[in-house]
Every structure is written in C-alpha cells, then in structure tokens.
Amino acid sequence: MINREWHLLSRPVGWPKPEDFALVEAEVPTPGEGQVLVRNKYLSVDPYMRGRMSAAKSYVAPFELGKVMQGGAVGEVVESRAEGIAAGDHVLHFLGWREYAVVDAKNAVKVGPTAVPALKVEDGDVPLSAYLGVLGMTGLTAYAGLLRTASFKEGDAVFVSGAAGAVGSQVGQIAKLKGASRVIGSAGSDEKVKLLVDEYGFDAAFNYKNGPVGEQLRAAAPDGVDVYFDNVGGDHLEAAIGSLNRDGRIAVCGMISVYNNTEPAPGPRNLARLIQTRGRIEGFLVGDHYDLQPQFVQEVAPWVASGALKYRETVVEGVENTLEAFLGVLRGDNIGKMVVKL
C-alpha cells in the first residue's frame, strides 16, 4: 500500500511557491504498541501553517525540511494496537498532509455521536469534517478568544475581521447567541458580506476593498465597538483602535495581512488612543486554552446540531490538491473552513 504525503523542500520567501514542496510516495506505516493506523478522510489547512514553514523561532516548532508536514486531520482507524480505540472508530489527530498516519493513541481524540455527549440522539451527528472546524481547534479558537481573551459580556458591540473565515464567522455568531448588542464583520468580497448578514446574522458587514477600513467601520458602528477580534492586523487593527469604546478589548488571533511580507509591517499609528479609552490589546494561542474544550463542546455542539450556529466549508478533493487548498486560504479563496477531502 502506498501513502502519499506532502514534504517541505525549502523555506518560502514571501509567497510560498509549488517548488517549495513535493508530494512524495512512501509505504503505509505499521502501528506499534499503543498506536493506531488512521486512514485520513479530511485534512485541515490553516493560515498558521505559513509560520511553520519559516525557520524563525515561534510558539510552535517549524516544519522540518525533507519531511512530511503536520496539521489537523480526522479519519478512520484501520488498525489498532491501543486500548480504548478500535478499528472503525473515527479520531481527530494532528498528523495531516498525508493519506495514512500512525498516531499515538494518547494523541488521538475519538469523535462521532458516541464521543460527544452534548449531542443528543435526536440531534443526529455532524459531518466528520466539522471536527476540524466548527467543533475543532477552529471553533475553540473563536470561543476562547471571544469569551476569555476579549472578556466578552452581554451587550457588547463586537467587530470581527476576516469574518467570513472559519474562525471569524463563528466568533460573530457566538457573540450574537450570547447577547451582543451589535456584531460587525469585514470581508474581502460582496458575496462574503452578503453571507455574513443574510446567513450568519451579523448586524452589519462591509467589503474592506471598497474603501478605507476606518471609514467603513465608523459607518457600520457609529457608537463604537467594545470588542475587536483581530484575524487580519494592519489597517483593520488601526481602524478598530480608532473606534474602540471606553474599556474596549482587542483579542489578536492572527494577522494574515502580514504573513507573507518580507519586510516588517508598520504598526498602528494611533496606539496612543488606548490611553484615552483604557483599551487593552492581548494576543492569544488556542493551545493555552485547551482547558475550555469540554465546556466549549458542551455548549457549542448542540448549537451546531440544531442549526442555531451555522457554518460553511470550502472542500477541495484529493491529497494532491492540499497545497493548492492551503494557498487558497492565504489568498482568501475560502468561505468558512477550508478542508481537503481524501
């Protein structure tokens, strides 16, 4: 049996290029004691992976040159040498970018209707791909960043950048479900703006390509914002600081606008306004908030199953198209979570 897997050949400078990567054929590995062999069914591609392609010191180790890359994946166990996990079980793990993976059982999380107690039988189950997005790391990122880092409270006005993406769309909906007074989103196309308002229930949204972000935000939130969830950085962060209310909070999740820069990007020019507003900016990593996972699943899974919390996925088929799917995320091609179906 042949296993196809993506290797990083060289560290990209600026935008990643196809020649920086290779799709390599290898033998399907054999599990050892305490391990399971998983046939991956869905792979996750995410913006943070761009940082791991660099050798720069960061919060997570860089990908190794000449070796298979890593990322979220969900699949079916085809062979198990571990207690508590049987062939046929579905598991979530972190050895993506390949068709088959041998996973230590301690690093495999069972998913499905019997693994999520918050899903009542009558609710049915959610698709496997959802455990990479709305019920996975993506969803927990939205939940922890909004509720813990940004200290969201009922009545807050919330602004979300990259709002049609997997994290941003969930941030806005959770804020609405928890009593936000107003939720505003920015996105990169008129189609995405319509989606935010018509399907996700945002109170207002704008296309950041249609004019200065600061002006559009002031028009959408004339009374200012209490919380800004930042996925973009750059002019969005500056605009949010300009509209921040007294005691406003900014949770910095990502800054996709600067990920491929070869020179340092200038910072916001209006940071002094934080003195007036007593505002707070705080970055966060989802890995620091895994203690919220049980609470997150218990609260969010029923919303997903009932349709109260909606989500979209952009699905690319075939392991051979994983790189193109990843580049699509950097370009903003996706609506909602980008996943690769194998």
Side-chain angles (χ1 to χ4, degrees):
M1 294 175 63
I2 298 298
N3 188 23
R4 290 181 293 173
E5 53 188 41
W6 280 96
H7 289 204
L8 182 66
L9 300 185
S10 57
R11 304 204 180 278
V13 177
W15 276 85
K17 302 180 293 296
E19 53 265 34
D20 295 323
F21 308 85
L23 183 61
V24 176
E25 291 188 350
E27 290 186 5
V28 172
T30 301
E33 196 65 34
Q35 295 181 320
V36 294
L37 174 64
V38 182
R39 182 186 182 278
N40 288 331
K41 292 196 169 184
Y42 291 93
L43 307 179
S44 177
V45 286
D46 304 281
Y48 81 88
M49 293 174 174
R50 176 61 184 88
R52 295 196 68 186
M53 295 171 188
S54 166
K57 185 176 180 181
S58 185
Y59 60 89
V60 64
F63 292 132
E64 296 185 57
L65 293 180
K67 295 188 177 181
V68 62
M69 294 185 291
Q70 300 170 347
V74 64
E76 182 179 354
V77 175
V78 294
E79 183 181 348
S80 174
R81 297 190 61 190
E83 291 185 13
I85 301 179
D89 285 344
H90 291 105
V91 296
L92 176 68
H93 61 91
F94 206 68
L95 296 180
W97 289 83
R98 68 198 84 185
E99 291 177 305
Y100 289 87
V102 164
V103 183
D104 290 340
K106 64 182 180 182
N107 296 327
V109 178
K110 289 171 67 173
V111 297
T114 61
V116 183
L119 287 172
K120 301 180 180 65
V121 174
E122 59 266 26
D123 289 334
D125 195 19
V126 295
L128 278 179
S129 55
Y131 293 98
L132 293 176
V134 68
L135 288 179
M137 185 177 72
T138 302
L140 181 59
T141 300
Y143 189 86
L146 177 67
L147 302 183
R148 179 176 279 175
T149 305
S151 304
F152 170 85
K153 60 184 183 297
E154 186 176 355
D156 280 343
V158 178
F159 171 44
V160 188
S161 59
V167 172
S169 60
Q170 198 158 345
V171 170
Q173 290 184 84
I174 292 173
K176 290 292 290 184
L177 286 163
K178 285 189 163 289
S181 62
R182 189 167 178 79
V183 174
I184 304 100
S186 73
S189 73
D190 293 340
E191 176 193 7
K192 291 180 179 180
V193 167
K194 188 174 187 300
L195 172 71
L196 291 176
V197 175
D198 293 350
E199 185 167 329
Y200 293 152
F202 282 57
D203 296 289
F206 60 85
N207 182 344
Y208 66 83
K209 297 176 182 177
N210 287 346
V213 175
E215 292 180 9
Q216 294 196 78
L217 178 58
R218 285 191 293 274
D223 296 324
V225 297
D226 303 297
V227 168
Y228 170 48
F229 193 103
D230 190 16
N231 291 306
V232 174
D235 55 357
H236 281 74
L237 178 55
E238 185 170 296
I241 293 171
S243 287
L244 203 64
N245 289 333
R246 168 73 186 264
D247 298 317
R249 291 87 66 202
I250 295 174
V252 181
C253 176
M255 292 191 174
I256 197 170
S257 68
V258 303
Y259 285 170
N260 293 302
N261 289 1
T262 56
E263 298 292 334
R269 296 167 296 180
N270 57 349
L271 282 174
R273 193 168 185 277
L274 295 176
I275 302 169
Q276 306 164 25
T277 62
R278 291 73 152 179
R280 169 168 62 85
I281 300 178
E282 183 177 346
F284 76 98
L285 296 173
V286 67
D288 296 332
H289 302 281
Y290 284 143
D291 62 296
L292 287 177
Q293 179 74 23
Q295 174 184 323
F296 158 70
V297 172
Q298 288 294 321
E299 185 165 20
V300 176
W303 287 342
V304 174
S306 68
L309 195 154
K310 299 175 174 61
Y311 68 98
R312 289 279 194 100
E313 294 176 336
T314 299
V315 180
V316 172
E317 298 208 8
V319 69
E320 66 277 8
N321 294 314
T322 306
L323 175 60
E324 180 56 30
F326 168 70
L327 296 176
V329 170
L330 297 184
R331 292 190 299 261
D333 295 350
N334 56 304
I335 294 178
K337 175 67 179 167
M338 178 76 86
V339 294
V340 180
K341 182 180 181 180
L342 305 188

